[in-house]
Amino acid sequence: MSAKQQILKEFALFSVPTSGIGDWLSDNADPDIFNRLARIESEPLSIEQFNQLLILGREAPMSDGMFNYYWLEVPRLHPYPPCKIPEFESKFHAEWVKSPRIISLDHLKWGLYRLYIDGLLYFGNVRAAYLSLRDRTHNELEDFYAKHRFETDVIKSRGPALPMRLIAQDDRYFISEMACKSYGDTPGGHSALKDALLKAYRTHATAGKTSPTIRELLESKVESKVEDDQAMRQTEFLFSVDEVLDVRVTSEQDMLERYKAIADRFFKARQAALDNTSYYLSMANDLDVYVATSMRIRDDFRLMCETCELIFNDKRLESLNLRYFDPTLSAAKGHEDKGLIECLMVKCAKVLVYCAGEKDSWGKDAEAAMALSLGKPVIFYCDKAPRTSFYRDVHPLSRLIEFKTGVAVGAMIADSIDQVVALLSRLFENQMVYKLDQPKHGYLRLKEVLSDSVVRLQTDDQLLTRTFWNLYHGHKEAGIVPNSVAG
């Protein structure tokens, strides 16, 4: 195999159908490029000669700062550890960052690999990244990437926030809107649930049924002008007294006492949840993680409570003292307010964790879509194998576009709480590990290694690429990808 063919084979991952850096090493590239690279181990490559080779390959030269940043050092404050890229963990040599020149083909590949990762992560397009970074100074590059890091030391050094009001696990379901509609706004005020129970009991007693279960009372016909409202009301009532549905009541007074006992717990839990919402609002600007889920039955609240405790009490996250929004601890005075609160929390949180549950729901899907569209890291947690595959490979929300930059952003799909914890730890410690993947020639995907999830991509479709970038920034709102650099 000729030197040219060997180099083309080794650098095939970096071959994408674009001008410039993407096809700098292509089959029709200038022979002098391959001849010079073939001698790299005996004649290390200086920046001056590297730039000459780039120009021969129809790409613009780079600054000393960029050359040093990507090939001659391991940046201490990069958003991920450059030495933990899987392909180079065993290949990395200290000599690479001691020499003023590129000393081997692996050394050259290491810098290109990092550039491609960064291009997909922060620009959505490798050539656009190169043209944006190529003339920056070393300090400018450090400043640019520092802005994409989590401030781990600041997060760890924060003092504790005001403690949340405790709500017993078995009482968390009381914070739901269904319960609020059933019990009413204030103790002693109007309660649709209480009225329904009284009317149903009196009807049963008149018919000679003196010891019905609460379930039997609530499954009686509920008066409503609309049949669908009747079904909804029954669903709300059955949910709101789930734990006593099979309890028999022997008199109207007995029924009222049982109602009061559970209503008292509802109002206590609801007030605690309203107080907690005030605490969440007071620390919204410092929120780390928003947990998105949907809870339809009492067991959903229990499971979500346990899930949050298992994740955020894990020792791997202990030193971070993460501030997270637990959906089982918060309530609002109405569903409109609830929507505003949750939108604000998603906007302010640094990371979103999406808990799949048994069914999808518009609410949590919208929250995940909002977070992805803001460019935030999103972790989908699903411990059901078939659905995990669906979220990773099929679900339309697994990959969206960050609205500000146009970068394609993908969610990380975790199949266990252990993975969720590990991903949160890596994110907030700036220890994420990525790998490049090219499933077909010219189609680049960036995968998060732990979950094997596609978090960024660059298509090989040149019409789509050029149309997308030319139109996406047509109004020059973000200015990250110049119109002349589509590709």
Side-chain angles (χ1 to χ4, degrees):
M1 185 182 294
S2 67
K4 175 181 176 179
Q5 293 305 314
Q6 182 65 37
I7 290 170
L8 286 174
K9 181 179 179 181
E10 286 196 39
F11 286 78
L13 181 65
F14 308 108
S15 177
V16 290
T18 68
S19 57
I21 196 75
D23 64 359
W24 172 61
L25 294 176
S26 61
D27 194 50
N28 62 351
D30 191 304
D32 285 341
I33 297 175
F34 299 102
N35 293 335
R36 178 62 187 88
L37 293 181
R39 306 192 307 272
I40 196 169
E41 293 196 10
S42 58
E43 299 177 31
L45 188 66
S46 67
I47 181 175
E48 292 79 11
Q49 289 192 12
F50 192 4
N51 277 334
Q52 285 184 279
L53 297 183
L54 288 170
I55 292 169
L56 288 174
R58 299 178 300 280
E59 183 55 281
M62 71 180 73
S63 67
D64 287 355
M66 182 176 183
F67 182 75
N68 292 341
Y69 191 89
Y70 275 99
W71 281 275
L72 304 186
E73 67 174 79
V74 179
R76 186 174 58 87
L77 297 178
H78 204 67
Y80 60 87
C83 288
K84 288 190 177 180
I85 298 170
E87 186 171 334
F88 297 95
E89 270 196 295
S90 61
K91 297 178 182 178
F92 183 83
H93 291 291
E95 288 77 10
W96 291 359
V97 295
K98 292 180 180 177
S99 171
R101 301 182 180 188
I102 299 173
I103 62 175
S104 68
L105 290 178
D106 279 339
H107 187 183
L108 176 62
K109 284 168 64 178
W110 177 63
L112 284 174
Y113 204 106
R114 291 171 52 202
L115 173 62
Y116 273 49
I117 289 177
D118 294 344
L120 293 175
L121 275 175
Y122 307 116
F123 297 85
N125 180 281
V126 172
R127 180 143 197 256
Y130 178 79
L131 292 180
S132 176
L133 300 172
R134 72 171 191 85
D135 58 356
R136 301 196 192 196
T137 66
H138 188 274
N139 287 342
E140 287 171 340
L141 287 168
E142 284 189 324
D143 290 344
F144 174 80
Y145 286 117
K147 293 175 184 176
H148 292 284
R149 286 173 55 86
F150 286 104
E151 295 181 300
T152 307
D153 291 341
V154 173
I155 291 172
K156 288 181 175 181
S157 65
R158 291 178 305 194
L162 293 172
M164 293 291 158
R165 294 278 302 277
L166 296 179
I167 303 174
Q169 187 181 105
D170 282 344
D171 288 354
R172 301 272 178 115
Y173 77 108
F174 286 132
I175 72 166
S176 73
E177 287 190 56
M178 288 196 291
C180 295
K181 291 177 182 178
S182 299
Y183 288 102
D185 295 327
T186 57
H190 175 260
S191 164
L193 172 59
K194 179 181 176 182
D195 288 351
L197 285 169
L198 275 172
K199 186 168 185 177
Y201 185 82
R202 288 166 182 169
T203 300
H204 276 70
T206 300
K209 301 175 182 178
T210 56
S211 59
T213 65
I214 290 178
R215 184 190 303 276
E216 289 170 340
L217 293 177
L218 293 178
E219 287 180 347
S220 303
K221 185 174 181 180
V222 177
E223 289 187 4
S224 174
K225 295 179 182 179
V226 183
E227 189 173 339
D228 287 346
D229 287 349
Q230 174 186 323
M232 178 61 73
R233 259 301 159 81
Q234 283 184 324
T235 299
E236 291 172 356
F237 292 161
L238 290 167
F239 170 88
S240 301
V241 289
D242 175 83
E243 61 193 277
V244 294
L245 285 174
D246 296 320
V247 171
R248 292 191 177 277
V249 290
T250 56
S251 67
E252 186 173 310
Q253 183 61 33
D254 181 26
M255 190 273 297
L256 288 172
E257 288 175 358
R258 291 186 181 278
Y259 168 82
K260 183 179 184 305
I262 199 166
D264 287 347
R265 287 168 53 202
F266 160 77
F267 285 109
K268 181 180 178 182
R270 178 162 172 74
Q271 187 57 55
L274 290 171
D275 291 344
N276 287 339
T277 298
S278 297
Y279 296 153
Y280 281 128
L281 289 171
S282 72
M283 66 173 187
N285 65 325
D286 215 18
L287 189 67
D288 298 313
V289 183
Y290 180 89
V291 179
T293 191
S294 58
M295 297 173 288
R296 294 181 173 87
I297 60 175
R298 189 180 178 207
D299 280 346
D300 290 342
F301 285 82
R302 287 197 189 99
L303 180 60
M304 194 66 249
C305 173
E306 292 170 0
T307 297
C308 284
E309 289 178 355
L310 286 170
I311 292 172
F312 295 102
N313 291 336
D314 191 284
K315 288 189 177 297
R316 286 168 289 179
L317 301 179
E318 188 175 9
S319 66
L320 287 165
N321 192 27
L322 293 178
R323 299 182 178 184
Y324 64 96
F325 179 88
D326 181 343
T328 71
L329 286 176
S330 172
K333 295 178 180 178
H335 67 272
E336 292 94 347
D337 283 0
K338 182 177 175 64
L340 291 174
I341 291 164
E342 292 179 350
C343 284
L344 175 64
M345 295 297 151
V346 173
K347 174 67 170 65
C348 291
K350 302 173 182 70
V351 177
L352 182 140
V353 173
Y354 173 109
C355 295
E358 291 298 323
K359 297 180 181 179
D360 293 333
S361 75
W362 188 87
K364 69 180 178 185
D365 284 359
E367 290 168 344
M370 189 191 317
L372 285 168
S373 298
L374 289 167
K376 297 177 184 293
V378 172
I379 301 169
F380 277 39
Y381 165 51
C382 180
D383 59 358
K384 305 286 192 300
R387 297 195 72 202
T388 299
S389 178
F390 169 72
Y391 283 118
R392 182 176 288 115
D393 303 320
V394 180
H395 197 288
L397 287 185
S398 62
R399 282 174 284 281
L400 292 178
I401 299 295
E402 181 183 353
F403 285 164
K404 183 178 180 181
T405 64
V407 173
V409 182
M412 293 168 279
I413 315 302
D415 58 15
S416 67
I417 285 178
D418 183 73
Q419 272 196 350
V420 175
V421 172
L423 287 168
L424 287 172
S425 176
R426 290 185 180 190
L427 281 166
F428 284 100
E429 298 275 4
N430 299 296
Q431 294 293 311
M432 295 297 287
V433 182
Y434 301 106
K435 64 180 178 182
L436 291 169
D437 176 42
Q438 196 176 110
K440 59 180 178 176
H441 177 66
Y443 197 105
L444 281 177
R445 300 191 305 188
L446 183 66
K447 288 188 169 185
E448 187 283 315
V449 169
L450 184 63
S451 63
D452 197 38
S453 302
V454 176
V455 294
R456 300 289 190 276
L457 61 87
Q458 177 177 312
T459 180
D460 62 335
D461 186 321
Q462 286 306 289
L463 175 61
L464 172 58
T465 297
R466 292 179 182 277
T467 305
F468 183 92
W469 289 117
N470 284 336
L471 296 180
Y472 200 91
H473 293 301
H475 299 292
K476 299 181 180 178
E477 291 174 351
I480 288 184
V481 182
N483 289 345
S484 60
V485 211

